[in-house]
Amino acid sequence: MEQYKKEFIEFMVDCNVLKFGDFVTKSGRKTPFFINTGFYRTGAQLRRLGGYYAKAIQEKFGTDFDVLFGPAYKGIPLSVAASMAMSEEFGAEIRYCSNRKEIKDHGDKGILLGSPLGDGDKVVIIEDVTTAGTSIEETLPIIRAQGNVDVLGLVVSVDRMERGQGSKTALTEIQEKYGFRTTAIVTMGEVIEHLYNKPYNGKVMIDDSLKQAIDAYYDMYGVKD
């Protein structure tokens, strides 16, 4: 596993973004782990987060694209932080764009904020986590309504590695349904590998009991061979 992935996993723990316990996802699944990027709250945290996203984006998509699109609301700071990091780390001048939940009818009118989208723009969508692929169904029509836009793919912070709406992972389903690439900074498999029975800051985050709960979750929602 690359060093930056290990650092990112520990970064999520430090920021209280990655939690273990009893939670319910947006899609209604009871889960023993939860990722909430709303806990990235300081300038220093967002700067580091943008850097991790930038590494994952550059590895999968390179720098030959125009816009990072972050769906409202959590995607707004992600698109800003990552576009800044793309400039700082790779010298790529990437525009950021997000949608509003409500169309603005005065001043800077329309449904978008940040850069407008237009014919020929190459776009990468940036999100926090995709569990069942439902959010992308809301995002794509907004993007494609702006013109003849080429959506290259989707990047998320963590691939939860569970089924989407069918028998494959959500990211695989998105890739096959919409014909673009998907990637993540880390997978939950990498998170488990790095934290299982290994102390971090004096505490074992994933012990045998929690590992059993995670395994049971994947027995129910994981991809079957």
Side-chain angles (χ1 to χ4, degrees):
M1 189 191 315
E2 296 93 327
Q3 182 62 30
Y4 84 88
K5 291 176 178 281
K6 298 177 181 178
E7 292 176 0
F8 178 65
I9 293 166
E10 294 171 2
F11 174 62
M12 287 194 292
V13 173
D14 291 342
C15 295
N16 209 28
V17 165
L18 174 62
K19 300 179 181 180
F20 300 99
D22 295 309
F23 308 95
V24 178
T25 67
K26 182 180 179 181
S27 57
R29 297 174 179 176
K30 294 182 179 179
T31 172
F33 56 90
F34 198 73
I35 299 102
N36 185 356
T37 56
F39 278 84
Y40 295 122
R41 293 173 174 171
T42 72
Q45 289 171 345
L46 286 172
R47 187 183 186 92
R48 285 188 64 184
L49 177 63
Y52 293 125
Y53 266 109
K55 286 184 174 67
I57 292 167
Q58 194 275 336
E59 283 187 1
K60 189 71 172 184
F61 302 104
T63 59
D64 184 22
F65 66 97
D66 304 294
V67 181
L68 269 175
F69 186 93
Y73 288 102
K74 289 183 179 178
I76 297 173
L78 298 181
S79 65
V80 173
S83 62
M84 292 172 67
M86 291 295 293
S87 174
E88 293 172 353
E89 299 192 18
F90 301 109
E93 193 69 2
I94 306 297
R95 290 143 41 205
Y96 90 91
C97 179
S98 295
N99 64 294
R100 296 182 171 96
K101 290 290 189 179
E102 302 83 19
I103 297 176
K104 189 177 178 184
D105 60 2
H106 62 281
D108 182 17
K109 296 182 180 180
I111 197 170
L112 301 182
L113 56 86
S115 171
L117 297 175
D119 291 347
D121 277 340
K122 298 177 183 178
V123 179
V124 173
I125 301 170
I126 182 169
E127 290 192 348
D128 54 351
V129 180
T130 294
T131 301
T134 51
S135 61
I136 201 75
E137 295 178 357
E138 303 169 0
T139 300
L140 271 179
I142 296 171
I143 294 174
R144 289 176 170 163
Q146 309 308 312
N148 186 19
V149 176
D150 183 10
V151 179
L152 300 184
L154 166 71
V155 58
V156 298
S157 61
V158 181
D159 178 359
R160 290 181 58 101
M161 296 177 61
E162 59 196 78
R163 294 196 311 275
Q165 298 175 7
S167 62
K168 300 179 180 180
T169 68
L171 288 184
T172 300
E173 287 182 353
I174 290 169
Q175 186 166 298
E176 292 181 353
K177 181 175 182 179
Y178 299 108
F180 54 63
R181 292 169 288 168
T182 60
T183 193
I185 303 173
V186 295
T187 68
M188 271 308 297
E190 290 169 329
V191 171
I192 295 165
E193 174 190 339
H194 188 57
L195 296 179
Y196 177 44
N197 277 342
K198 299 173 185 175
Y200 176 65
N201 285 343
K203 180 181 179 181
V204 174
M205 305 300 300
I206 302 178
D207 58 14
D208 289 337
S209 176
L210 181 59
K211 179 64 162 54
Q212 289 179 355
I214 293 172
D215 289 345
Y217 181 77
Y218 280 117
D219 283 342
M220 184 173 295
Y221 295 114
V223 175
K224 307 298 182 183
D225 295 331

